[in-house]
Amino acid sequence: MVTERVGWWRRSRWALLSLLVLVPAAVVAALSIDAVDYLGSRPSVVTTVEPGQRADLSGAQLRVVDSWMAPWDSPAGERYAVPEGTALVSVTLELDAGAASEEFRCSVKLVEPDRDRRWTPGYTDTDYFPGRDLPDDVPTGCSWAEVPFPFEVTFLIPEDAADAVVIEAFTPDQLPRAFHLRLS
């Protein structure tokens, strides 16, 4: 009795062909779910707010009170030791979150809308109105408090972005809706 010997490639052809279809399909399915989540979590429906005007963030009111910039080659840039080729941007915001829920929180970033570059704030202390009828537990960022309060955010950005930046503010529950607050 003579038996024909079948090679491994021939015995495995259907399994290999199914892998050619299943692996790309699995990758596409996994990436499409992530892409939908990513696009839904990114601020993309933008309302521009002029200086001094207020943005409504889930019942809280946010506005730019003041802003200033210190390029590296200016006297202020030298005083703050701003690295060459960059600019320090300081923005004072006022938040009135008394009408919002106690779980209220928002994100604040500096954005160059034309080039879609974003910067998160650095750490800074808030000491604008110490002892002026504010409770001891007033937060220093974009979170709930019973009374309106100011807070400051600072950014170190490339010098070429200094003239085209806005504050982007949003709450996770309103995404993809966001506000671009123009600096004063």
Side-chain angles (χ1 to χ4, degrees):
M1 177 172 204
V2 178
T3 55
E4 184 179 330
R5 193 166 176 203
V6 178
W8 180 85
W9 287 107
R10 190 170 178 148
R11 283 191 320 261
S12 305
R13 72 179 175 257
W14 294 114
L16 292 172
L17 287 173
S18 68
L19 283 177
L20 287 174
V21 173
L22 291 176
V23 169
V27 169
V28 167
L31 291 179
S32 66
I33 291 169
D34 289 342
V36 169
D37 290 344
Y38 171 73
L39 293 174
S41 69
R42 192 179 156 139
S44 58
V45 179
V46 176
T47 302
T48 301
V49 178
E50 295 302 321
Q53 300 298 314
R54 297 178 186 275
D56 181 15
L57 298 166
S58 297
Q61 303 291 314
L62 182 69
R63 73 181 180 101
V64 174
V65 176
D66 187 29
S67 66
W68 55 269
M69 198 168 304
W72 69 276
D73 57 353
S74 69
E78 289 177 20
R79 184 172 60 245
Y80 292 109
V82 177
E84 184 175 337
T86 63
L88 176 68
V89 178
S90 176
V91 182
T92 304
L93 299 158
E94 181 183 62
L95 178 66
D96 182 356
S101 75
E102 290 187 20
E103 290 80 33
F104 172 82
R105 64 181 176 84
C106 68
S107 293
V108 176
K109 296 182 178 186
L110 194 69
V111 175
E112 184 183 21
D114 295 340
R115 293 168 64 179
D116 199 29
R117 296 194 292 182
R118 296 171 171 12
W119 298 273
T120 56
Y123 176 76
T124 184
D125 288 326
T126 302
D127 59 0
Y128 289 101
F129 302 109
R132 287 188 47 202
D133 301 325
L134 293 180
D136 293 335
D137 59 348
V138 171
T140 57
C142 199
S143 57
W144 186 84
E146 290 180 17
V147 296
F149 66 94
F151 67 99
E152 181 180 40
V153 286
T154 57
F155 305 89
L156 191 63
I157 64 172
E159 187 178 29
D160 68 334
D163 294 330
V165 292
V166 296
I167 289 289
E168 181 176 78
F170 61 90
T171 58
D173 65 325
Q174 287 186 331
L175 283 172
R177 184 174 179 223
F179 292 93
H180 282 182
L181 292 86
R182 294 189 190 267
L183 304 181
S184 53

PDB file of all heavy atoms in Angstrom, residues 72-85:
ATOM      1  N   TRP A  72      11.187  84.971  26.165  1.00  0.00           N
ATOM      2  CA  TRP A  72      12.493  84.724  26.765  1.00  0.00           C
ATOM      3  C   TRP A  72      13.428  85.932  26.664  1.00  0.00           C
ATOM      4  O   TRP A  72      14.238  86.150  27.555  1.00  0.00           O
ATOM      5  CB  TRP A  72      13.152  83.504  26.135  1.00  0.00           C
ATOM      6  CG  TRP A  72      13.560  83.713  24.706  1.00  0.00           C
ATOM      7  CD1 TRP A  72      12.765  83.570  23.606  1.00  0.00           C
ATOM      8  CD2 TRP A  72      14.831  84.115  24.217  1.00  0.00           C
ATOM      9  NE1 TRP A  72      13.449  83.848  22.467  1.00  0.00           N
ATOM     10  CE2 TRP A  72      14.745  84.192  22.811  1.00  0.00           C
ATOM     11  CE3 TRP A  72      16.041  84.412  24.818  1.00  0.00           C
ATOM     12  CZ2 TRP A  72      15.802  84.552  22.006  1.00  0.00           C
ATOM     13  CZ3 TRP A  72      17.111  84.774  24.011  1.00  0.00           C
ATOM     14  CH2 TRP A  72      16.991  84.842  22.621  1.00  0.00           C
ATOM     15  N   ASP A  73      13.293  86.735  25.592  1.00  0.00           N
ATOM     16  CA  ASP A  73      14.216  87.847  25.393  1.00  0.00           C
ATOM     17  C   ASP A  73      13.693  89.185  25.919  1.00  0.00           C
ATOM     18  O   ASP A  73      14.228  90.233  25.610  1.00  0.00           O
ATOM     19  CB  ASP A  73      14.590  87.966  23.917  1.00  0.00           C
ATOM     20  CG  ASP A  73      13.382  88.134  23.015  1.00  0.00           C
ATOM     21  OD1 ASP A  73      12.243  88.021  23.503  1.00  0.00           O
ATOM     22  OD2 ASP A  73      13.587  88.367  21.810  1.00  0.00           O
ATOM     23  N   SER A  74      12.648  89.153  26.756  1.00  0.00           N
ATOM     24  CA  SER A  74      12.110  90.379  27.352  1.00  0.00           C
ATOM     25  C   SER A  74      12.632  90.529  28.778  1.00  0.00           C
ATOM     26  O   SER A  74      13.136  89.565  29.366  1.00  0.00           O
ATOM     27  CB  SER A  74      10.577  90.319  27.370  1.00  0.00           C
ATOM     28  OG  SER A  74      10.141  89.344  28.300  1.00  0.00           O
ATOM     29  N   PRO A  75      12.517  91.725  29.370  1.00  0.00           N
ATOM     30  CA  PRO A  75      12.928  91.889  30.772  1.00  0.00           C
ATOM     31  C   PRO A  75      12.182  90.929  31.708  1.00  0.00           C
ATOM     32  O   PRO A  75      12.771  90.349  32.616  1.00  0.00           O
ATOM     33  CB  PRO A  75      12.598  93.344  31.076  1.00  0.00           C
ATOM     34  CG  PRO A  75      12.634  94.032  29.740  1.00  0.00           C
ATOM     35  CD  PRO A  75      12.158  93.011  28.755  1.00  0.00           C
ATOM     36  N   ALA A  76      10.876  90.752  31.470  1.00  0.00           N
ATOM     37  CA  ALA A  76      10.108  89.815  32.307  1.00  0.00           C
ATOM     38  C   ALA A  76      10.581  88.384  32.084  1.00  0.00           C
ATOM     39  O   ALA A  76      10.657  87.596  33.026  1.00  0.00           O
ATOM     40  CB  ALA A  76       8.612  89.929  32.016  1.00  0.00           C
ATOM     41  N   GLY A  77      10.923  88.041  30.855  1.00  0.00           N
ATOM     42  CA  GLY A  77      11.439  86.707  30.562  1.00  0.00           C
ATOM     43  C   GLY A  77      12.752  86.445  31.264  1.00  0.00           C
ATOM     44  O   GLY A  77      12.995  85.344  31.766  1.00  0.00           O
ATOM     45  N   GLU A  78      13.611  87.455  31.319  1.00  0.00           N
ATOM     46  CA  GLU A  78      14.875  87.316  32.049  1.00  0.00           C
ATOM     47  C   GLU A  78      14.614  87.170  33.550  1.00  0.00           C
ATOM     48  O   GLU A  78      15.259  86.365  34.223  1.00  0.00           O
ATOM     49  CB  GLU A  78      15.771  88.521  31.775  1.00  0.00           C
ATOM     50  CG  GLU A  78      16.315  88.534  30.365  1.00  0.00           C
ATOM     51  CD  GLU A  78      17.141  89.777  30.065  1.00  0.00           C
ATOM     52  OE1 GLU A  78      17.606  90.435  31.018  1.00  0.00           O
ATOM     53  OE2 GLU A  78      17.304  90.082  28.868  1.00  0.00           O
ATOM     54  N   ARG A  79      13.664  87.951  34.072  1.00  0.00           N
ATOM     55  CA  ARG A  79      13.349  87.886  35.508  1.00  0.00           C
ATOM     56  C   ARG A  79      12.832  86.501  35.904  1.00  0.00           C
ATOM     57  O   ARG A  79      13.149  85.988  36.965  1.00  0.00           O
ATOM     58  CB  ARG A  79      12.318  88.965  35.868  1.00  0.00           C
ATOM     59  CG  ARG A  79      12.013  89.020  37.353  1.00  0.00           C
ATOM     60  CD  ARG A  79      11.146  90.211  37.766  1.00  0.00           C
ATOM     61  NE  ARG A  79       9.853  90.243  37.128  1.00  0.00           N
ATOM     62  CZ  ARG A  79       9.454  91.187  36.265  1.00  0.00           C
ATOM     63  NH1 ARG A  79      10.252  92.170  35.924  1.00  0.00           N
ATOM     64  NH2 ARG A  79       8.252  91.147  35.738  1.00  0.00           N
ATOM     65  N   TYR A  80      12.032  85.894  35.041  1.00  0.00           N
ATOM     66  CA  TYR A  80      11.474  84.568  35.341  1.00  0.00           C
ATOM     67  C   TYR A  80      12.329  83.428  34.793  1.00  0.00           C
ATOM     68  O   TYR A  80      11.919  82.271  34.862  1.00  0.00           O
ATOM     69  CB  TYR A  80      10.051  84.452  34.795  1.00  0.00           C
ATOM     70  CG  TYR A  80       9.071  85.335  35.519  1.00  0.00           C
ATOM     71  CD1 TYR A  80       8.524  86.454  34.898  1.00  0.00           C
ATOM     72  CD2 TYR A  80       8.704  85.073  36.833  1.00  0.00           C
ATOM     73  CE1 TYR A  80       7.633  87.267  35.565  1.00  0.00           C
ATOM     74  CE2 TYR A  80       7.814  85.889  37.505  1.00  0.00           C
ATOM     75  CZ  TYR A  80       7.287  86.987  36.863  1.00  0.00           C
ATOM     76  OH  TYR A  80       6.410  87.799  37.522  1.00  0.00           O
ATOM     77  N   ALA A  81      13.491  83.720  34.235  1.00  0.00           N
ATOM     78  CA  ALA A  81      14.412  82.718  33.685  1.00  0.00           C
ATOM     79  C   ALA A  81      13.726  81.829  32.648  1.00  0.00           C
ATOM     80  O   ALA A  81      13.828  80.602  32.677  1.00  0.00           O
ATOM     81  CB  ALA A  81      15.020  81.881  34.799  1.00  0.00           C
ATOM     82  N   VAL A  82      13.029  82.461  31.722  1.00  0.00           N
ATOM     83  CA  VAL A  82      12.340  81.733  30.660  1.00  0.00           C
ATOM     84  C   VAL A  82      13.391  81.211  29.677  1.00  0.00           C
ATOM     85  O   VAL A  82      14.249  81.967  29.227  1.00  0.00           O
ATOM     86  CB  VAL A  82      11.325  82.662  29.948  1.00  0.00           C
ATOM     87  CG1 VAL A  82      10.657  81.944  28.783  1.00  0.00           C
ATOM     88  CG2 VAL A  82      10.281  83.166  30.935  1.00  0.00           C
ATOM     89  N   PRO A  83      13.369  79.917  29.360  1.00  0.00           N
ATOM     90  CA  PRO A  83      14.367  79.349  28.447  1.00  0.00           C
ATOM     91  C   PRO A  83      14.316  79.985  27.050  1.00  0.00           C
ATOM     92  O   PRO A  83      13.255  80.424  26.601  1.00  0.00           O
ATOM     93  CB  PRO A  83      13.982  77.867  28.367  1.00  0.00           C
ATOM     94  CG  PRO A  83      13.169  77.610  29.585  1.00  0.00           C
ATOM     95  CD  PRO A  83      12.474  78.898  29.890  1.00  0.00           C
ATOM     96  N   GLU A  84      15.450  80.003  26.389  1.00  0.00           N
ATOM     97  CA  GLU A  84      15.553  80.603  25.055  1.00  0.00           C
ATOM     98  C   GLU A  84      14.580  79.932  24.082  1.00  0.00           C
ATOM     99  O   GLU A  84      14.419  78.714  24.064  1.00  0.00           O
ATOM    100  CB  GLU A  84      16.978  80.449  24.537  1.00  0.00           C
ATOM    101  CG  GLU A  84      17.205  81.126  23.203  1.00  0.00           C
ATOM    102  CD  GLU A  84      18.651  81.071  22.763  1.00  0.00           C
ATOM    103  OE1 GLU A  84      19.540  80.922  23.620  1.00  0.00           O
ATOM    104  OE2 GLU A  84      18.872  81.174  21.551  1.00  0.00           O
ATOM    105  N   GLY A  85      13.941  80.750  23.259  1.00  0.00           N
ATOM    106  CA  GLY A  85      13.014  80.254  22.249  1.00  0.00           C
ATOM    107  C   GLY A  85      11.618  79.955  22.770  1.00  0.00           C
ATOM    108  O   GLY A  85      10.791  79.421  22.039  1.00  0.00           O
TER     109      GLY A  85
END
